[in-house]
Every structure is written in C-alpha cells, then in structure tokens.
Amino acid sequence: MELAARWAGRSSARLDNKYGPTECAVTAASYRWGGGEGRTVPIGEPVWNTQAFVLDGRLRPVGVGVAGELYLGGVQVARGYQGRADLTAERFVADPFGGPGSRLYRTGDRVRWNAQGLLEFLGRKDFQVKVRGLRIELGEIESALVAQESIARPWSWCTRRVR
C-alpha cells in the first residue's frame, strides 16, 4: 500500500497490480489501481480465460469477505511439476466445478472476495516467502541448518534462553 500511495502522487503514473504464480502462465488476475480505494491494493479479478475460486479446506466456495485459499483454473494452468508426482498431487487437484479432466491449482495464498468482486491478498497458508521473485521455503532452510552439527536446533536454543 505504501508503494501504491507513492504512485498516486504522480499524475502521469498508472499502477497495474498483476498477480499470478508461474504455474498459471504468470498473470492470473489483474487490477488497475486509481488511488484512494481503500487500505489495500487488490489482486483484482481473473484475466480472460481464467477461473479463480476462494475455497475452504473441503473445496467449497466461501462467501464475500471470508478468507479462504485461492485456486486457479483455466487453459493456462500447468498440468503439474515434471518429475514431482508428489508435489503435483498436492498442488493440482481435480476441478469440482469443471468438466472431466479439468484441474485447479492450489496457490497456497489466503485471499477473500471484497464487496466489489475483487480478490484481496491476505497472506500465505504456509511458510513460503519470496525473495527477488524466487520462492523460498523456510522449512527447507531450517532443515539444512539443523543438519549442521555446529548449529543448535532453534527450539532447543529458545528453551535454553527462556530458562
């Protein structure tokens, strides 16, 4: 929001918020921000030929304003990860709203529909972060650190410090 506010002060500037994971041919939703619309810059609405669903843990749609996980569908959604059947099964699920063979991609992003019919990003469901566009799994970093004999486990360090 801070960056968007800086853009708002420039009369010739236009801010287009583009959202999309690599698994969905990069852009899956878009929003043109005009400034002063609220406390967040929405992800926007699905681009042409894309379906976006905000679903609960049982793949049921949630209501407007209710947080859920974003699932994306459409012709631009990948079929899975090459050589990673386990991850493909976890992230690419049968589309309960589509035809035979259609799939949805579980983004791992927590979102909600707002009253204007736009998606708002709320955070991640997991411990993944992005650094310069690269996905980083914090659990993988923790595992690598814990495997080193010279590094104490984070939880044992915390309990020693507290006592």
Side-chain angles (χ1 to χ4, degrees):
M1 192 61 200
E2 183 181 319
L3 177 61
R6 278 192 269 151
W7 277 89
R10 301 176 184 190
S11 61
S12 63
R14 183 179 88 199
L15 177 63
D16 288 332
N17 191 16
K18 305 290 185 182
Y19 166 88
T22 302
E23 293 84 350
C24 295
V26 184
T27 300
S30 180
Y31 178 72
R32 178 164 293 161
W33 191 72
E37 286 120 71
R39 296 185 323 244
T40 65
V41 177
I43 290 172
E45 56 189 353
V47 297
W48 180 79
N49 220 8
T50 302
Q51 296 85 46
F53 301 96
V54 182
L55 306 176
D56 66 13
R58 293 182 172 169
L59 298 180
R60 296 179 303 197
V62 299
V64 172
V66 178
E69 184 172 358
L70 178 59
Y71 288 74
L72 298 171
V75 296
Q76 81 286 16
V77 174
R79 297 296 295 164
Y81 299 106
Q82 185 173 351
R84 293 293 312 268
D86 57 332
L87 193 54
T88 295
E90 177 186 324
R91 290 292 186 178
F92 294 86
V93 299
D95 181 352
F97 315 107
S102 62
R103 302 175 83 167
L104 295 176
Y105 171 64
R106 291 183 60 202
T107 66
D109 289 330
R110 290 183 57 248
V111 299
R112 68 177 168 219
W113 291 109
N114 68 18
Q116 292 74 41
L118 301 170
L119 290 165
E120 293 182 344
F121 179 80
L122 302 173
R124 292 283 305 166
K125 288 188 62 161
D126 55 18
F127 296 105
Q128 183 186 91
V129 296
K130 280 199 173 181
V131 177
R132 295 187 181 116
L134 298 173
R135 295 177 188 178
I136 308 294
E137 296 286 347
L138 297 179
E140 291 177 12
I141 294 172
E142 181 181 2
S143 295
L145 289 172
V146 170
Q148 305 298 314
E149 289 183 25
S150 61
I151 297 178
R153 292 189 189 324
W155 53 90
S156 63
W157 176 83
C158 290
T159 55
R160 280 198 312 257
R161 286 287 270 207
V162 171
R163 291 183 183 161

